[in-house]
């Protein structure tokens, strides 16, 4: 009924799903993207960035990832039809999924590094509990009698297209432009998605380098006096 909301609506959906996928270890305690242990491969003369990239490619064959292909194909078909624009739209959605996997890998490596320090691990766990509680309350806010404000706020976000700020939505935006036959806009959003994916891989490689080379130290400095632990709960 409102075709002008297709672009911001799909962008919002892709951004929310991508963010939830990347933060799955905090929200659900189970990582949607597997972070492989690279310690047994470090003695080979292979750059660490190559190992991180191979880990990302290995995640593409996971059943959870393969299960996303039929929905993505359906979305691409809905946007572009069965003509020549379909491969471009489907490829853009696949790039968005790849960006989500790359960000999820970076988060998993960061959490693995934090797990070496119990205090930071507990803080991350507490943050995940709070985020999970907030997300569990959202459906109640939307469906309750007083949820009109939340619905109006969501519509306002869509009309102002605020989810364009999250890179998770860029692949979906490229797919919409591909379906509309707008090559310049498609090329711009596709290039942005590729740059964001490269940045996520660079962050993963930097974190992995500090983690596996023993440079990541999240503990107290030797000169500081350790604070006494408090068990408030």
């Amino acid at each position: 009924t409102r075709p002008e909301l297709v672009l911001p609506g799909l962008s919002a959906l892709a951004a929310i799903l991508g963010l939830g996928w990347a933060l799955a270890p905090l929200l659900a305690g189970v990582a949607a993207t597997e972070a492989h242990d690279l310690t047994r491969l470090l003695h080979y003369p292979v750059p660490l960035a190559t190992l991180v990239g191979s880990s990302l490619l290995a995640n593409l064959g996971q059943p959870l990832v393969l299960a996303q292909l039929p929905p993505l194909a359906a979305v691409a078909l809905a946007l572009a039809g069965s003509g020549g624009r379909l491969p471009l739209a489907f490829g853009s959605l696949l790039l968005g999924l790849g960006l989500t996997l790359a960000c999820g890998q970076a988060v998993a490596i960061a959490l693995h590094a934090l797990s070496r320090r119990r205090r930071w691990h507990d803080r991350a766990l507490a943050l995940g509990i709070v985020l999970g509680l907030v997300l569990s309350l959202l459906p109640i806010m939307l469906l309750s009698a007083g949820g009109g404000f939340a619905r109006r706020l969501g519509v306002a976000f869509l009309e102002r297209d605020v989810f364009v700020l999250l890179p998770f939505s860029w692949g979906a935006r490229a797919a919409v432009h591909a379906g509309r036959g707008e090559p310049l806009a498609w090329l711009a959003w596709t290039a942005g998605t590729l740059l964001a994916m490269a940045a996520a891989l660079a962050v993963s490689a930097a974190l992995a380098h500090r983690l596996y080379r023993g440079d990541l130290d999240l503990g107290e400095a030797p000169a500081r006096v350790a604070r006494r632990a408090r068990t408030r709960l």
Side-chain angles (χ1 to χ4, degrees), residues 130-156:
V130 173
L131 289 177
L133 178 61
V134 172
L135 290 180
S136 66
L137 294 177
L138 287 180
I140 300 177
M141 294 174 58
L142 292 175
L143 299 177
S144 63
F149 172 75
R151 288 190 291 269
R152 289 193 300 270
L153 184 62
V155 173

mmCIF file of all heavy atoms in Angstrom, residues 130-156:
data_model
loop_
_atom_site.group_PDB
_atom_site.id
_atom_site.type_symbol
_atom_site.label_atom_id
_atom_site.label_comp_id
_atom_site.label_asym_id
_atom_site.label_seq_id
_atom_site.Cartn_x
_atom_site.Cartn_y
_atom_site.Cartn_z
ATOM 1 N N VAL A 130 20.951 -7.628 30.069
ATOM 2 C CA VAL A 130 20.171 -6.386 29.979
ATOM 3 C C VAL A 130 19.615 -6.199 28.577
ATOM 4 O O VAL A 130 18.433 -5.864 28.396
ATOM 5 C CB VAL A 130 21.047 -5.191 30.391
ATOM 6 C CG1 VAL A 130 20.309 -3.880 30.140
ATOM 7 C CG2 VAL A 130 21.422 -5.293 31.859
ATOM 8 N N LEU A 131 20.444 -6.422 27.549
ATOM 9 C CA LEU A 131 19.970 -6.271 26.176
ATOM 10 C C LEU A 131 18.866 -7.266 25.859
ATOM 11 O O LEU A 131 17.878 -6.927 25.199
ATOM 12 C CB LEU A 131 21.142 -6.453 25.210
ATOM 13 C CG LEU A 131 22.187 -5.332 25.174
ATOM 14 C CD1 LEU A 131 23.318 -5.691 24.233
ATOM 15 C CD2 LEU A 131 21.557 -4.017 24.760
ATOM 16 N N GLY A 132 19.040 -8.512 26.312
ATOM 17 C CA GLY A 132 18.002 -9.507 26.078
ATOM 18 C C GLY A 132 16.687 -9.144 26.750
ATOM 19 O O GLY A 132 15.605 -9.347 26.190
ATOM 20 N N LEU A 133 16.757 -8.582 27.963
ATOM 21 C CA LEU A 133 15.547 -8.174 28.659
ATOM 22 C C LEU A 133 14.850 -7.034 27.923
ATOM 23 O O LEU A 133 13.621 -7.033 27.760
ATOM 24 C CB LEU A 133 15.895 -7.749 30.084
ATOM 25 C CG LEU A 133 14.725 -7.236 30.954
ATOM 26 C CD1 LEU A 133 13.688 -8.322 31.115
ATOM 27 C CD2 LEU A 133 15.234 -6.759 32.302
ATOM 28 N N VAL A 134 15.644 -6.070 27.442
ATOM 29 C CA VAL A 134 15.052 -4.946 26.707
ATOM 30 C C VAL A 134 14.364 -5.425 25.437
ATOM 31 O O VAL A 134 13.236 -5.022 25.120
ATOM 32 C CB VAL A 134 16.138 -3.894 26.397
ATOM 33 C CG1 VAL A 134 15.585 -2.819 25.462
ATOM 34 C CG2 VAL A 134 16.635 -3.255 27.691
ATOM 35 N N LEU A 135 15.022 -6.312 24.696
ATOM 36 C CA LEU A 135 14.419 -6.820 23.463
ATOM 37 C C LEU A 135 13.176 -7.658 23.734
ATOM 38 O O LEU A 135 12.240 -7.660 22.939
ATOM 39 C CB LEU A 135 15.451 -7.647 22.695
ATOM 40 C CG LEU A 135 16.601 -6.865 22.079
ATOM 41 C CD1 LEU A 135 17.553 -7.799 21.351
ATOM 42 C CD2 LEU A 135 16.091 -5.799 21.121
ATOM 43 N N SER A 136 13.158 -8.374 24.856
ATOM 44 C CA SER A 136 11.973 -9.170 25.181
ATOM 45 C C SER A 136 10.773 -8.297 25.531
ATOM 46 O O SER A 136 9.623 -8.733 25.418
ATOM 47 C CB SER A 136 12.286 -10.115 26.341
ATOM 48 O OG SER A 136 12.530 -9.376 27.532
ATOM 49 N N LEU A 137 11.028 -7.059 25.959
ATOM 50 C CA LEU A 137 9.938 -6.162 26.301
ATOM 51 C C LEU A 137 9.368 -5.413 25.093
ATOM 52 O O LEU A 137 8.279 -4.851 25.174
ATOM 53 C CB LEU A 137 10.401 -5.137 27.348
ATOM 54 C CG LEU A 137 10.748 -5.691 28.726
ATOM 55 C CD1 LEU A 137 11.255 -4.577 29.632
ATOM 56 C CD2 LEU A 137 9.547 -6.383 29.354
ATOM 57 N N LEU A 138 10.100 -5.397 23.989
ATOM 58 C CA LEU A 138 9.632 -4.647 22.820
ATOM 59 C C LEU A 138 8.283 -5.146 22.293
ATOM 60 O O LEU A 138 7.403 -4.327 21.987
ATOM 61 C CB LEU A 138 10.692 -4.690 21.721
ATOM 62 C CG LEU A 138 11.936 -3.832 21.961
ATOM 63 C CD1 LEU A 138 12.902 -3.976 20.793
ATOM 64 C CD2 LEU A 138 11.553 -2.368 22.156
ATOM 65 N N PRO A 139 8.068 -6.471 22.123
ATOM 66 C CA PRO A 139 6.743 -6.900 21.648
ATOM 67 C C PRO A 139 5.604 -6.475 22.584
ATOM 68 O O PRO A 139 4.509 -6.143 22.127
ATOM 69 C CB PRO A 139 6.872 -8.425 21.584
ATOM 70 C CG PRO A 139 8.328 -8.683 21.461
ATOM 71 C CD PRO A 139 8.994 -7.602 22.253
ATOM 72 N N ILE A 140 5.862 -6.494 23.892
ATOM 73 C CA ILE A 140 4.825 -6.071 24.837
ATOM 74 C C ILE A 140 4.503 -4.597 24.643
ATOM 75 O O ILE A 140 3.334 -4.176 24.654
ATOM 76 C CB ILE A 140 5.284 -6.353 26.281
ATOM 77 C CG1 ILE A 140 5.559 -7.847 26.473
ATOM 78 C CG2 ILE A 140 4.250 -5.868 27.282
ATOM 79 C CD1 ILE A 140 6.094 -8.194 27.847
ATOM 80 N N MET A 141 5.542 -3.781 24.417
ATOM 81 C CA MET A 141 5.320 -2.358 24.194
ATOM 82 C C MET A 141 4.534 -2.107 22.921
ATOM 83 O O MET A 141 3.671 -1.228 22.857
ATOM 84 C CB MET A 141 6.672 -1.637 24.138
ATOM 85 C CG MET A 141 7.447 -1.647 25.444
ATOM 86 S SD MET A 141 9.091 -0.922 25.250
ATOM 87 C CE MET A 141 8.655 0.711 24.651
ATOM 88 N N LEU A 142 4.809 -2.884 21.880
ATOM 89 C CA LEU A 142 4.145 -2.672 20.599
ATOM 90 C C LEU A 142 2.698 -3.163 20.609
ATOM 91 O O LEU A 142 1.835 -2.582 19.944
ATOM 92 C CB LEU A 142 4.919 -3.377 19.483
ATOM 93 C CG LEU A 142 6.303 -2.797 19.169
ATOM 94 C CD1 LEU A 142 7.018 -3.664 18.142
ATOM 95 C CD2 LEU A 142 6.189 -1.370 18.663
ATOM 96 N N LEU A 143 2.418 -4.239 21.335
ATOM 97 C CA LEU A 143 1.089 -4.852 21.306
ATOM 98 C C LEU A 143 0.178 -4.390 22.429
ATOM 99 O O LEU A 143 -1.016 -4.674 22.399
ATOM 100 C CB LEU A 143 1.217 -6.384 21.371
ATOM 101 C CG LEU A 143 1.992 -7.031 20.213
ATOM 102 C CD1 LEU A 143 2.116 -8.534 20.424
ATOM 103 C CD2 LEU A 143 1.296 -6.741 18.896
ATOM 104 N N SER A 144 0.715 -3.700 23.417
ATOM 105 C CA SER A 144 -0.111 -3.253 24.534
ATOM 106 C C SER A 144 -0.963 -2.063 24.124
ATOM 107 O O SER A 144 -0.783 -1.457 23.061
ATOM 108 C CB SER A 144 0.775 -2.890 25.728
ATOM 109 O OG SER A 144 1.612 -1.799 25.397
ATOM 110 N N ALA A 145 -1.901 -1.732 24.995
ATOM 111 C CA ALA A 145 -2.795 -0.610 24.695
ATOM 112 C C ALA A 145 -2.050 0.704 24.598
ATOM 113 O O ALA A 145 -2.446 1.611 23.863
ATOM 114 C CB ALA A 145 -3.877 -0.519 25.782
ATOM 115 N N GLY A 146 -0.961 0.828 25.342
ATOM 116 C CA GLY A 146 -0.180 2.051 25.291
ATOM 117 C C GLY A 146 0.969 1.999 24.310
ATOM 118 O O GLY A 146 1.882 2.815 24.379
ATOM 119 N N GLY A 147 0.924 1.030 23.393
ATOM 120 C CA GLY A 147 2.017 0.886 22.449
ATOM 121 C C GLY A 147 1.898 1.760 21.226
ATOM 122 O O GLY A 147 2.699 1.631 20.301
ATOM 123 N N GLY A 148 0.913 2.644 21.204
ATOM 124 C CA GLY A 148 0.771 3.514 20.041
ATOM 125 C C GLY A 148 1.967 4.416 19.839
ATOM 126 O O GLY A 148 2.366 4.679 18.699
ATOM 127 N N PHE A 149 2.547 4.869 20.940
ATOM 128 C CA PHE A 149 3.706 5.748 20.828
ATOM 129 C C PHE A 149 4.877 5.002 20.199
ATOM 130 O O PHE A 149 5.588 5.549 19.344
ATOM 131 C CB PHE A 149 4.101 6.276 22.204
ATOM 132 C CG PHE A 149 5.395 7.046 22.206
ATOM 133 C CD1 PHE A 149 5.453 8.336 21.692
ATOM 134 C CD2 PHE A 149 6.562 6.468 22.701
ATOM 135 C CE1 PHE A 149 6.652 9.042 21.688
ATOM 136 C CE2 PHE A 149 7.755 7.166 22.695
ATOM 137 C CZ PHE A 149 7.792 8.461 22.184
ATOM 138 N N ALA A 150 5.084 3.733 20.620
ATOM 139 C CA ALA A 150 6.182 2.952 20.057
ATOM 140 C C ALA A 150 5.962 2.709 18.573
ATOM 141 O O ALA A 150 6.917 2.777 17.776
ATOM 142 C CB ALA A 150 6.321 1.627 20.807
ATOM 143 N N ARG A 151 4.713 2.432 18.174
ATOM 144 C CA ARG A 151 4.444 2.225 16.755
ATOM 145 C C ARG A 151 4.653 3.503 15.959
ATOM 146 O O ARG A 151 5.209 3.484 14.860
ATOM 147 C CB ARG A 151 3.023 1.700 16.575
ATOM 148 C CG ARG A 151 2.838 0.256 17.016
ATOM 149 C CD ARG A 151 1.494 -0.281 16.591
ATOM 150 N NE ARG A 151 0.409 0.361 17.326
ATOM 151 C CZ ARG A 151 -0.091 -0.099 18.461
ATOM 152 N NH1 ARG A 151 0.425 -1.197 19.011
ATOM 153 N NH2 ARG A 151 -1.085 0.512 19.071
ATOM 154 N N ARG A 152 4.196 4.619 16.503
ATOM 155 C CA ARG A 152 4.401 5.893 15.806
ATOM 156 C C ARG A 152 5.886 6.221 15.708
ATOM 157 O O ARG A 152 6.348 6.760 14.690
ATOM 158 C CB ARG A 152 3.660 7.005 16.541
ATOM 159 C CG ARG A 152 2.147 6.940 16.421
ATOM 160 C CD ARG A 152 1.498 8.225 16.894
ATOM 161 N NE ARG A 152 1.808 8.520 18.287
ATOM 162 C CZ ARG A 152 1.077 8.113 19.314
ATOM 163 N NH1 ARG A 152 -0.001 7.370 19.104
ATOM 164 N NH2 ARG A 152 1.416 8.432 20.553
ATOM 165 N N LEU A 153 6.636 5.879 16.750
ATOM 166 C CA LEU A 153 8.069 6.120 16.717
ATOM 167 C C LEU A 153 8.731 5.261 15.641
ATOM 168 O O LEU A 153 9.616 5.725 14.909
ATOM 169 C CB LEU A 153 8.679 5.823 18.085
ATOM 170 C CG LEU A 153 10.178 6.117 18.240
ATOM 171 C CD1 LEU A 153 10.460 7.594 18.033
ATOM 172 C CD2 LEU A 153 10.658 5.668 19.613
ATOM 173 N N GLY A 154 8.294 4.000 15.531
ATOM 174 C CA GLY A 154 8.845 3.134 14.494
ATOM 175 C C GLY A 154 8.534 3.646 13.100
ATOM 176 O O GLY A 154 9.400 3.628 12.208
ATOM 177 N N VAL A 155 7.302 4.101 12.875
ATOM 178 C CA VAL A 155 6.939 4.661 11.568
ATOM 179 C C VAL A 155 7.748 5.921 11.278
ATOM 180 O O VAL A 155 8.182 6.154 10.141
ATOM 181 C CB VAL A 155 5.430 4.949 11.519
ATOM 182 C CG1 VAL A 155 5.063 5.684 10.235
ATOM 183 C CG2 VAL A 155 4.638 3.655 11.625
ATOM 184 N N ALA A 156 7.982 6.745 12.308
ATOM 185 C CA ALA A 156 8.794 7.955 12.121
ATOM 186 C C ALA A 156 10.219 7.588 11.720
ATOM 187 O O ALA A 156 10.825 8.243 10.862
ATOM 188 C CB ALA A 156 8.788 8.790 13.396
#
